[in-house]
Amino acid sequence: MELKNIVHQTKVLAQRRRNRAILRLRLWSGVKEAATMWKGVFVLLLCAAFIFLWNARDTLVPFHSDIPLLITVWSYIIDAFIPLLFLLLLVGLLILLGTPFLAKAVESSLLQIGLANRYGYAPALISCKRIKNTQVSVMVFYSLGVGTETWETHRAEIQDALNVHFVEPIKYGGRNGRNRNIIVIAAAPGAETHRKDVLYDEF
Protein backbone atom coordinates (compact mmCIF):
# COMPACT_ATOMS: atom_id res chain seq x y z
CA MET A 1 0.00 0.00 0.00
CA GLU A 2 2.82 2.39 0.90
CA LEU A 3 4.57 1.65 -2.41
CA LYS A 4 1.36 2.46 -4.31
CA ASN A 5 1.07 5.77 -2.46
CA ILE A 6 4.66 6.65 -3.35
CA VAL A 7 4.05 5.82 -7.00
CA HIS A 8 0.82 7.83 -6.99
CA GLN A 9 2.48 10.84 -5.34
CA THR A 10 5.34 10.68 -7.83
CA LYS A 11 2.88 10.67 -10.72
CA VAL A 12 0.96 13.61 -9.24
CA LEU A 13 4.18 15.61 -8.82
CA ALA A 14 5.19 14.78 -12.39
CA GLN A 15 1.77 15.91 -13.64
CA ARG A 16 2.02 19.20 -11.74
CA ARG A 17 5.52 19.80 -13.07
CA ARG A 18 4.32 19.04 -16.60
CA ASN A 19 1.30 21.34 -16.29
CA ARG A 20 3.42 24.22 -14.95
CA ALA A 21 5.94 23.81 -17.78
CA ILE A 22 3.19 23.70 -20.43
CA LEU A 23 1.47 26.79 -19.01
CA ARG A 24 4.78 28.67 -18.89
CA LEU A 25 5.64 27.75 -22.47
CA ARG A 26 2.17 28.60 -23.77
CA LEU A 27 2.24 31.88 -21.87
CA TRP A 28 5.49 32.82 -23.59
CA SER A 29 4.06 31.67 -26.91
CA GLY A 30 1.02 33.86 -26.22
CA VAL A 31 3.26 36.87 -25.61
CA LYS A 32 4.81 36.35 -29.04
CA GLU A 33 1.38 35.82 -30.62
CA ALA A 34 0.14 39.06 -29.04
CA ALA A 35 2.79 40.90 -31.05
CA THR A 36 0.91 40.05 -34.25
CA MET A 37 -1.56 42.52 -35.68
CA TRP A 38 -4.97 40.91 -35.13
CA LYS A 39 -4.24 38.96 -31.95
CA GLY A 40 -2.75 42.02 -30.32
CA VAL A 41 -6.17 43.70 -30.63
CA PHE A 42 -7.53 41.46 -27.84
CA VAL A 43 -4.76 42.58 -25.48
CA LEU A 44 -5.38 46.22 -26.37
CA LEU A 45 -9.11 45.81 -25.70
CA LEU A 46 -8.36 44.27 -22.32
CA CYS A 47 -6.01 47.14 -21.48
CA ALA A 48 -8.68 49.65 -22.55
CA ALA A 49 -11.23 47.93 -20.28
CA PHE A 50 -8.77 48.09 -17.38
CA ILE A 51 -8.14 51.81 -17.92
CA PHE A 52 -11.89 52.47 -18.07
CA LEU A 53 -12.56 50.56 -14.85
CA TRP A 54 -9.61 52.15 -13.10
CA ASN A 55 -10.76 55.65 -13.97
CA ALA A 56 -14.30 54.80 -12.89
CA ARG A 57 -13.34 53.04 -9.68
CA ASP A 58 -14.73 55.82 -7.48
CA THR A 59 -18.20 55.14 -8.87
CA LEU A 60 -18.06 51.42 -8.08
CA VAL A 61 -19.00 51.82 -4.40
CA PRO A 62 -22.36 49.99 -4.26
CA PHE A 63 -23.65 51.73 -1.12
CA HIS A 64 -23.70 55.03 0.75
CA SER A 65 -22.48 55.22 4.31
CA ASP A 66 -21.92 57.86 6.93
CA ILE A 67 -18.90 55.91 8.17
CA PRO A 68 -15.79 57.21 6.37
CA LEU A 69 -13.72 54.21 7.42
CA LEU A 70 -16.10 51.82 5.66
CA ILE A 71 -15.91 53.82 2.44
CA THR A 72 -12.10 53.94 2.70
CA VAL A 73 -11.82 50.16 3.23
CA TRP A 74 -14.11 49.49 0.27
CA SER A 75 -12.06 51.84 -1.91
CA TYR A 76 -8.86 49.99 -0.99
CA ILE A 77 -10.54 46.69 -1.88
CA ILE A 78 -11.54 48.03 -5.28
CA ASP A 79 -8.07 49.50 -5.86
CA ALA A 80 -6.54 46.08 -5.22
CA PHE A 81 -9.20 44.02 -7.02
CA ILE A 82 -9.12 45.80 -10.40
CA PRO A 83 -5.36 45.34 -11.07
CA LEU A 84 -5.51 41.75 -9.78
CA LEU A 85 -8.44 40.97 -12.05
CA PHE A 86 -6.63 42.59 -14.98
CA LEU A 87 -3.49 40.50 -14.39
CA LEU A 88 -5.47 37.26 -14.12
CA LEU A 89 -7.41 38.02 -17.30
CA LEU A 90 -4.22 39.06 -19.11
CA VAL A 91 -2.42 35.85 -18.18
CA GLY A 92 -5.47 33.80 -19.17
CA LEU A 93 -5.74 35.62 -22.49
CA LEU A 94 -2.05 35.13 -23.27
CA ILE A 95 -2.25 31.43 -22.45
CA LEU A 96 -5.34 31.17 -24.69
CA LEU A 97 -3.54 32.94 -27.53
CA GLY A 98 -0.51 30.69 -27.04
CA THR A 99 -2.49 27.44 -27.10
CA PRO A 100 -2.79 25.90 -30.58
CA PHE A 101 -6.37 25.25 -31.67
CA LEU A 102 -5.79 21.50 -32.20
CA ALA A 103 -3.54 20.96 -29.17
CA LYS A 104 -5.90 18.52 -27.42
CA ALA A 105 -6.61 16.54 -30.60
CA VAL A 106 -2.90 16.26 -31.41
CA GLU A 107 -2.06 15.11 -27.89
CA SER A 108 -4.85 12.53 -28.02
CA SER A 109 -3.62 11.23 -31.38
CA LEU A 110 -0.08 10.82 -30.07
CA LEU A 111 -1.35 9.06 -26.97
CA GLN A 112 -3.32 6.58 -29.09
CA ILE A 113 -0.18 5.42 -30.89
CA GLY A 114 1.70 5.00 -27.62
CA LEU A 115 3.94 8.05 -27.83
CA ALA A 116 4.02 8.83 -24.12
CA ASN A 117 6.41 9.03 -21.20
CA ARG A 118 6.59 6.57 -18.31
CA TYR A 119 3.62 8.23 -16.59
CA GLY A 120 1.39 7.98 -19.65
CA TYR A 121 1.55 11.62 -20.75
CA ALA A 122 1.87 12.35 -24.44
CA PRO A 123 3.93 15.31 -25.72
CA ALA A 124 1.96 18.57 -25.55
CA LEU A 125 1.73 20.82 -28.59
CA ILE A 126 3.05 24.25 -27.59
CA SER A 127 2.90 26.08 -30.89
CA CYS A 128 2.16 25.43 -34.55
CA LYS A 129 3.18 28.06 -37.07
CA ARG A 130 2.71 27.97 -40.83
CA ILE A 131 5.78 29.02 -42.78
CA LYS A 132 4.87 31.91 -45.06
CA ASN A 133 4.27 30.99 -48.71
CA THR A 134 4.58 27.24 -48.01
CA GLN A 135 2.42 24.40 -46.72
CA VAL A 136 4.99 23.59 -44.06
CA SER A 137 4.16 24.06 -40.39
CA VAL A 138 6.68 24.08 -37.56
CA MET A 139 5.22 22.21 -34.60
CA VAL A 140 6.82 22.60 -31.19
CA PHE A 141 6.13 20.05 -28.45
CA TYR A 142 6.89 19.88 -24.74
CA SER A 143 8.15 16.31 -24.67
CA LEU A 144 9.64 15.59 -21.24
CA GLY A 145 10.42 11.87 -21.03
CA VAL A 146 9.96 11.28 -24.76
CA GLY A 147 13.26 11.87 -26.56
CA THR A 148 14.10 12.09 -30.24
CA GLU A 149 14.92 8.39 -30.34
CA THR A 150 11.33 7.51 -29.39
CA TRP A 151 9.98 10.02 -31.89
CA GLU A 152 12.11 8.44 -34.61
CA THR A 153 10.93 4.96 -33.62
CA HIS A 154 7.30 6.08 -34.01
CA ARG A 155 8.02 8.28 -37.02
CA ALA A 156 5.69 6.54 -39.47
CA GLU A 157 2.89 6.23 -36.90
CA ILE A 158 3.18 9.91 -35.96
CA GLN A 159 2.88 10.96 -39.57
CA ASP A 160 -0.17 8.76 -40.04
CA ALA A 161 -1.80 9.93 -36.79
CA LEU A 162 -1.33 13.62 -37.61
CA ASN A 163 -1.85 13.16 -41.36
CA VAL A 164 1.40 14.91 -42.21
CA HIS A 165 4.82 14.09 -43.62
CA PHE A 166 8.06 15.38 -42.15
CA VAL A 167 10.15 17.64 -44.36
CA GLU A 168 13.12 17.83 -42.00
CA PRO A 169 14.67 15.61 -39.34
CA ILE A 170 13.17 15.73 -35.85
CA LYS A 171 15.25 17.99 -33.62
CA TYR A 172 15.44 19.56 -30.19
CA GLY A 173 14.20 23.10 -29.62
CA GLY A 174 14.95 25.89 -27.19
CA ARG A 175 17.92 28.21 -27.37
CA ASN A 176 20.42 26.89 -29.92
CA GLY A 177 18.40 23.66 -30.12
CA ARG A 178 19.76 22.40 -26.79
CA ASN A 179 16.57 21.87 -24.78
CA ARG A 180 15.99 18.13 -24.73
CA ASN A 181 12.46 18.63 -23.38
CA ILE A 182 11.38 20.51 -26.50
CA ILE A 183 10.86 18.65 -29.77
CA VAL A 184 10.49 20.51 -33.05
CA ILE A 185 9.15 18.97 -36.24
CA ALA A 186 8.62 20.59 -39.62
CA ALA A 187 5.77 18.93 -41.49
CA ALA A 188 3.48 19.42 -44.44
CA PRO A 189 -0.12 18.11 -44.73
CA GLY A 190 -0.91 14.66 -46.07
CA ALA A 191 1.35 11.95 -47.40
CA GLU A 192 4.56 12.82 -49.18
CA THR A 193 4.14 12.71 -52.95
CA HIS A 194 7.47 14.09 -54.04
CA ARG A 195 10.53 15.42 -52.30
CA LYS A 196 10.91 19.16 -52.30
CA ASP A 197 13.33 21.36 -50.41
CA VAL A 198 11.58 23.97 -48.28
CA LEU A 199 13.52 26.90 -46.98
CA TYR A 200 12.38 28.74 -43.88
CA ASP A 201 13.74 30.42 -40.79
CA GLU A 202 14.25 28.11 -37.85
CA PHE A 203 11.93 28.41 -34.83
Side-chain angles (χ1 to χ4, degrees):
M1 182 65 69
E2 185 176 352
L3 180 59
K4 288 184 179 180
N5 288 335
I6 293 175
V7 172
H8 176 71
Q9 290 176 4
T10 302
K11 185 174 182 178
V12 169
L13 290 174
Q15 182 180 18
R16 289 176 180 173
R17 177 186 176 189
R18 177 179 183 270
N19 291 341
R20 285 195 300 267
I22 292 172
L23 285 177
R24 184 176 64 253
L25 290 168
R26 286 180 176 165
L27 177 60
W28 176 239
S29 179
V31 170
K32 292 186 287 186
E33 290 293 328
T36 61
M37 180 70 70
W38 71 273
K39 290 185 178 180
V41 171
F42 295 105
V43 177
L44 291 177
L45 288 175
L46 181 60
C47 291
F50 166 72
I51 293 172
F52 173 80
L53 283 177
W54 183 254
N55 290 332
R57 66 188 185 280
D58 292 336
T59 66
L60 298 179
V61 179
F63 57 85
H64 298 283
S65 175
D66 296 329
I67 305 175
L69 180 60
L70 186 60
I71 300 295
T72 302
V73 170
W74 183 257
S75 297
Y76 282 140
I77 292 175
I78 293 177
D79 289 350
F81 176 76
I82 293 177
L84 180 60
L85 178 64
F86 169 72
L87 289 176
L88 289 175
L89 291 176
L90 179 61
V91 170
L93 176 60
L94 291 175
I95 291 175
L96 182 63
L97 292 177
T99 302
F101 179 69
L102 296 176
K104 282 291 184 183
V106 169
E107 185 174 339
S108 177
S109 296
L110 296 179
L111 191 60
Q112 288 178 11
I113 63 173
L115 189 70
N117 61 17
R118 59 183 295 188
Y119 300 112
Y121 300 123
L125 182 62
I126 300 301
S127 70
C128 181
K129 294 184 178 180
R130 175 72 64 86
I131 304 304
K132 190 175 181 179
N133 299 324
T134 74
Q135 289 189 320
V136 177
S137 295
V138 176
M139 307 173 73
V140 181
F141 293 85
Y142 177 70
S143 187
L144 178 65
V146 185
T148 54
E149 299 83 1
T150 307
W151 281 80
E152 289 291 354
T153 301
H154 291 77
R155 184 184 182 92
E157 295 170 282
I158 295 169
Q159 293 180 103
D160 289 342
L162 303 183
N163 191 27
V164 298
H165 65 274
F166 297 162
V167 299
E168 280 201 353
I170 299 168
K171 57 187 178 181
Y172 291 120
R175 182 174 297 179
N176 299 322
R178 300 182 64 181
N179 190 338
R180 298 178 66 88
N181 295 329
I182 304 294
I183 294 293
V184 179
I185 63 174
E192 184 176 16
T193 56
H194 60 275
R195 194 70 182 181
K196 184 177 181 181
D197 291 331
V198 179
L199 301 179
Y200 62 90
D201 294 330
E202 290 187 359
F203 179 81

